[in-house]
Amino acid sequence: MASLEIAILPLAFGQVGVAVGFSVLNALLIAWRVRVEERVLTDRRVERRSA
């Protein structure tokens, strides 16, 4: 849903390139964030098991 929100405003003003560019950047940022969060959560699970 948030990805749509990022694209709606530029599309409303006919700025297709801006909408696509920001959508791609947002997707890359989300992919990076998910990898970081998964790594942190995995580390925490390992710490709890060994404690």
Side-chain angles (χ1 to χ4, degrees):
M1 188 67 173
S3 297
L4 263 176
E5 292 172 359
I6 288 173
I8 287 174
L9 188 60
L11 288 175
F13 292 101
Q15 299 295 315
V16 176
V18 173
V20 170
F22 274 101
S23 294
V24 168
L25 289 174
N26 186 49
L28 292 172
L29 182 62
I30 289 173
W32 172 77
R33 179 181 170 185
V34 167
R35 285 193 309 267
V36 169
E37 288 177 357
E38 284 295 322
R39 186 173 59 232
V40 169
L41 290 174
T42 300
D43 292 345
R44 283 188 169 191
R45 287 184 202 122
V46 170
E47 287 176 8
R48 280 188 167 185
R49 288 183 191 157
S50 61

